[in-house]
């Protein structure tokens, strides 16, 4: 287990022992951060019938692990354990049929173990239909079932999926070291030319990963991001700046990801704020979480379209997307 995963491993161990593990566990981190090994350890632990407690001399908390010798562990090692299902795809996407297979698997009672487990190693390649099928299971989890998902691209997942999972984000050491260096190179108090501190930029972005460092570290790109952000919000809430948004969608390679990120953050606000504050937020913004979710799904579909067809015409996809968003927000016009 990589050192950067240890904290999450201890946390999951503790929750396992206290029987407070969530039914759906989403592990997020960039490629190579060790999330695969962490997920593997967790699944083996869930399957094992006689887990072992390994007391660490340096840590107050201990880590539980699969014994590797019980009947369940032996069957798992020989790939013949009946109560676990791996849902992965050799294709670019994980389709609705795969998820339905998983749902059917969970509905049957366990053959051998006390729990049933499903592992989805690349959650971000789920199609929108697949994600919606999974959503139903996440909303009404069957007893003693666990779904472990991992992803290196949290922004590609529907916010509704994320909100129903316990998310364990693994922060890459290289990223933190990089950011620490950025801070120290500017003598502590970082003030960039745009007069926005790096700290504020990081706070602004709820989930930072290395792919977002462009706008976090490059002033020119950050300015573009801010301009785009404003144009997009004007478009969304006031019906203005459509042509500016479109030209950015066509010419700026970051723009579609930004569109996802901004919309996702708008949706997250609804899930993160207290119930009492929600009404005020709705009154102020006049766009409901449901509508934002529809927009978000449209953006994800467009993004997948552009990613899966190299020849996709950005102008066409951009025009279609903005028309779709317009129809969602202002159905009467
Ligand atoms: Zn075992």
């Amino acid at each position: 287990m990589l050192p950067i995963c240890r904290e999450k491993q201890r946390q999951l161990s503790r929750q396992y022992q206290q029987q407070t593990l969530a039914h759906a566990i989403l592990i997020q981190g960039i490629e190579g951060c060790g999330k695969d090994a962490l997920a593997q350890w967790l699944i083996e632990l869930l399957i094992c019938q006689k887990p072992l407690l390994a007391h660490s001399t340096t840590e107050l908390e201990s880590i539980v692990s699969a014994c590797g010798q019980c009947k369940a562990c032996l069957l798992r090692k020989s790939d013949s354990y009946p109560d676990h299902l791996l849902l992965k795809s050799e294709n670019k996407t994980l389709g609705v049929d795969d998820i339905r297979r998983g749902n059917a698997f969970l509905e049957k009672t366990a053959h051998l173990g006390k729990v049933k487990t499903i592992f989805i190693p690349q959650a971000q390649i789920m199609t929108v239909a697949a994600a919606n099928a999974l959503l139903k299971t996440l909303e009404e989890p069957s007893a003693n079932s666990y779904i472990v998902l991992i992803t290196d691209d949290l922004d590609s997942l529907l916010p509704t999926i994320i909100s129903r999972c316990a998310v364990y984000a693994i922060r890459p050491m290289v990223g933190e070291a990089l950011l620490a260096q950025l801070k120290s190179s500017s003598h502590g108090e970082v003030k960039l030319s745009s007069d926005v501190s790096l700290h504020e930029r990081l706070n602004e972005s709820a989930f930072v990963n290395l792919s977002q460092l462009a706008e976090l570290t490059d002033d020119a790109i950050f300015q573009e991001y801010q301009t785009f952000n404003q144009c997009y919000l004007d478009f969304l809430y006031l019906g203005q700046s459509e042509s500016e948004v479109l030209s950015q969608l066509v010419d700026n390679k970051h723009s579609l990801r930004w569109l996802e990120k901004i919309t996702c953050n708008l949706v997250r606000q609804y899930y993160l704020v207290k119930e009492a504050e929600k009404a005020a937020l709705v009154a102020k913004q006049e766009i409901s979480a449901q509508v934002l979710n529809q927009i978000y799904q449209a953006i994800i579909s467009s993004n997948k379209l552009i990613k899966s067809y190299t020849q996709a015409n950005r102008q066409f996809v951009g025009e279609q997307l903005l028309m779709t968003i317009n129809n969602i927000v202002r159905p009467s016009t």
Side-chain angles (χ1 to χ4, degrees), residues 19-295:
Q19 300 187 322
T20 54
L21 272 181
H23 279 286
I25 290 159
L26 174 60
I27 302 172
Q28 179 247 337
I30 60 161
E31 213 175 316
C33 72
K35 60 185 182 304
D36 302 52
L38 183 66
Q40 200 56 45
W41 159 83
L42 176 63
I43 287 161
E44 290 174 5
L45 172 64
L46 288 169
I47 289 174
C48 178
Q49 293 167 333
K50 293 172 185 167
L52 299 172
L53 202 61
H55 285 281
S56 161
T57 48
T58 51
E59 300 290 342
L60 289 171
E61 290 147 311
S62 21
I63 286 170
V64 261
S65 290
C67 73
Q69 285 163 6
C70 69
K71 192 179 174 188
C73 280
L74 292 176
L75 283 172
R76 177 202 25 98
K77 284 186 194 171
S78 63
D79 274 335
S80 45
Y81 181 74
D83 298 319
H84 176 70
L85 182 67
L86 170 67
L87 285 182
K88 71 174 199 180
S89 169
E90 301 303 323
N91 306 319
K92 275 186 171 174
T93 57
L94 188 66
V96 67
D97 289 341
D98 294 306
I99 299 300
R100 285 196 185 128
R101 190 156 55 90
N103 291 348
F105 167 80
L106 288 182
E107 276 165 20
K108 292 180 198 132
T109 42
H111 286 89
L112 186 80
K114 280 175 283 185
V115 300
K116 303 197 91 171
T117 49
I118 287 187
F119 181 36
I120 305 178
Q122 279 184 290
Q124 75 276 4
I125 66 167
M126 274 189 293
T127 62
V128 171
N132 281 325
L134 180 66
L135 205 53
K136 291 199 178 71
T137 306
L138 296 181
E139 279 165 351
E140 295 163 22
S142 43
N144 300 320
S145 68
Y146 293 95
I147 302 176
V148 179
L149 308 102
I150 57 182
T151 185
D152 50 19
D153 188 7
L154 197 67
D155 290 341
S156 290
L157 290 179
L158 295 181
T160 42
I161 294 276
I162 298 170
S163 72
R164 282 170 182 81
C165 294
V167 180
Y168 299 82
I170 297 167
R171 303 275 171 226
M173 228 171 233
V174 53
E176 285 181 355
L178 197 55
L179 292 172
Q181 199 202 338
L182 279 166
K183 285 178 189 170
S184 65
S185 66
S186 303
H187 308 289
E189 180 65 6
V190 186
K191 279 287 171 189
L192 299 147
S193 61
S194 54
D195 219 33
V196 179
S197 74
L198 182 68
H199 185 68
E200 283 170 72
R201 288 187 193 184
L202 290 173
N203 276 348
E204 185 267 341
S205 164
F207 291 82
V208 178
N209 64 40
L210 287 179
S211 72
Q212 295 174 347
L213 274 177
E215 61 264 28
L216 291 173
T217 55
D218 186 312
D219 274 346
I221 296 177
F222 183 66
Q223 289 293 349
E224 284 176 22
Y225 169 74
Q226 282 200 310
T227 308
F228 180 80
N229 187 25
Q230 195 51 55
C231 288
Y232 174 52
L233 293 180
D234 286 348
F235 168 67
L236 211 52
Y237 292 103
L238 305 170
Q240 296 168 354
S241 306
E242 182 168 347
S243 58
E244 285 89 342
V245 176
L246 180 61
S247 75
Q248 286 285 305
L249 285 181
V250 175
D251 298 329
N252 189 331
K253 65 173 175 156
H254 302 292
S255 59
L256 212 47
R257 178 171 60 77
W258 289 347
L259 206 60
E260 267 189 45
K261 177 178 154 182
I262 297 164
T263 312
C264 188
N265 282 341
L266 289 174
V267 178
R268 278 205 184 96
Q269 288 178 16
Y270 283 90
Y271 292 111
L272 294 179
V273 297
K274 296 189 189 95
E275 281 302 319
E277 294 165 10
K278 248 174 210 170
L281 202 61
V282 170
K284 197 179 77 181
Q285 300 206 340
E286 293 170 354
I287 295 183
S288 69
Q290 285 76 16
V291 170
L292 286 170
N293 258 323
Q294 284 180 39
I295 295 171

